Amino acid sequence: MRFAKIYVEITNICNLACPFCPRTVRRPAFMGSDAFERVLDRLTGKTGVLYFHLMGEPLLHPRLIDFLALAGAAGFKVNLTTNGSLLPDRADGLLSASALRQVNVSLHSRSGGDAGLGEYLDGIAAFVAAAEASGGPLVSLRLWNYASGSGGNEEHLRRAVERRFGVSLPETPGPGDFRGLRLGPRSYLNIAEAFEWPSLTGPGVGERGFCLGLRDQIGVLVDGSVVPCCLDAQGAAALGNLIEEDLETILAGERATRIYRGFSERRAVEELCRRCAYRSRFDRVAPAEA
């Protein structure tokens, strides 16, 4: 099986405590070089694109630039997702990394407060300008904080983004408004509705439905655990460990098979999946087997 993308969590440590983030209860760690090379080897041929993301802030990893080079040498392109606060410090290395395809910046990480907002946005704007000038990675600025009845700091952030990047954002977006706004040839601003991370203690949303987990994507946590999708923040549906066994064995396992077959029948068999409202976005997607 080949995936459109695979998430590799090179660290679950973060330098912020964003209000929308569930934060992991797993042991904080950086993925070591030997483990990363083992993961790369076992993902070769399974995708062309790695995402350095799941939990944590990848720009904190002391070997980030080395990992980008290793991924490129193994034939992968890399997208990474960052809260953006460390971009001024890591810009030179990122802009020179040939394997880096795209940088996603979660602007909504600042929806919890205003302190330093201007300096934060200035640093991101400088990175965007440098990426444009150098022909570096694509940059996607994400403002995923549109929620019913939102206001206060979220509204302040949106207006600050409008002023800094010269765009106009809708007060109450309709379905057609959630699209990328071009900032330059290689940069975009993407808006989206806020969503709740699924958890085993969250409200149930039912068994019926479909998801692209194990079809379009999988995730690899910092300890090597393979999970069905990028929203399993705690490894609640871990399928096996990629450092210890190959991906084919993991995907052929009983748990992975049950999840895949379940969604082929439009059924969520995992408790976490039954509590995931995000998967409702895929309800109109027909599985290939149907």
Side-chain angles (χ1 to χ4, degrees):
M1 179 178 290
R2 186 174 174 88
F3 298 94
K5 54 187 174 288
I6 295 178
Y7 292 82
V8 178
E9 182 188 71
I10 62 173
T11 181
N12 60 0
I13 300 170
C14 190
N15 60 324
L16 298 182
C18 301
F20 65 86
C21 180
R23 291 183 283 280
T24 183
V25 298
R26 293 176 282 120
R27 182 179 66 85
F30 291 108
M31 185 177 285
S33 298
D34 290 345
F36 182 73
E37 292 190 54
R38 177 66 64 87
V39 167
L40 285 182
D41 181 60
R42 288 184 164 168
L43 293 183
T44 297
K46 307 303 188 297
T47 187
V49 181
L50 302 179
Y51 276 67
F52 285 1
H53 179 55
L54 210 140
M55 288 280 99
E57 170 52 61
L59 270 60
L60 282 174
H61 201 295
R63 294 210 60 199
L64 170 62
I65 304 306
D66 294 334
F67 281 11
L68 287 170
L70 288 169
F76 296 101
K77 288 295 183 181
V78 178
N79 295 355
L80 66 79
T81 299
T82 172
N83 61 47
S85 63
L86 301 176
L87 278 175
D89 298 328
R90 305 303 299 267
D92 290 346
L94 294 174
L95 294 173
S96 63
S98 59
L100 185 58
R101 174 186 173 274
Q102 180 167 311
V103 175
N104 303 313
V105 185
S106 298
L107 299 179
H108 44 278
S109 64
R110 296 306 302 260
S111 62
D114 300 337
L117 178 58
E119 182 180 1
Y120 168 75
L121 292 178
D122 285 347
I124 291 169
F127 181 81
V128 170
E132 292 280 11
S134 66
L138 300 171
V139 183
S140 172
L141 306 183
R142 294 176 170 179
L143 195 58
W144 291 0
N145 69 342
Y146 278 85
S148 176
S150 65
N153 285 327
E154 292 184 354
E155 183 70 15
H156 180 78
L157 171 62
R158 289 203 287 270
R159 300 313 160 211
V161 169
E162 284 185 318
R163 292 190 299 270
R164 186 64 185 80
F165 294 99
V167 295
S168 179
L169 300 175
E171 292 284 347
T172 307
D177 290 322
F178 293 107
R179 61 185 184 275
L181 305 175
R182 183 181 289 273
L183 301 176
R186 304 186 64 76
S187 55
Y188 302 83
L189 174 65
N190 291 284
I191 65 173
E193 295 175 299
F195 70 91
E196 294 290 331
W197 285 76
S199 76
L200 293 177
T201 59
V205 296
E207 178 182 322
R208 300 301 299 172
F210 182 67
C211 182
L212 292 174
L214 285 178
R215 283 177 163 80
D216 174 82
Q217 62 170 273
I218 56 172
V220 182
L221 302 182
V222 68
D223 67 350
S225 296
V226 175
V227 292
C229 80
C230 63
L231 294 183
D232 189 353
Q234 313 301 348
L239 308 172
N241 192 291
L242 196 60
I243 298 171
E244 299 170 357
E245 53 190 337
D246 60 49
L247 188 59
E248 291 83 357
T249 300
I250 293 171
L251 296 180
E254 180 181 356
R255 194 173 198 179
T257 300
R258 287 181 64 249
I259 294 171
Y260 190 94
R261 288 179 177 171
F263 281 126
S264 295
E265 300 167 356
R266 294 190 174 275
R267 290 188 303 109
V269 300
E270 282 286 337
E271 188 64 26
L272 184 70
C273 302
R274 293 176 178 177
R275 297 174 184 271
C276 179
Y278 193 90
R279 65 178 169 83
S280 64
R281 304 182 185 201
F282 307 123
D283 281 348
R284 294 185 179 181
V285 178
E289 297 87 347

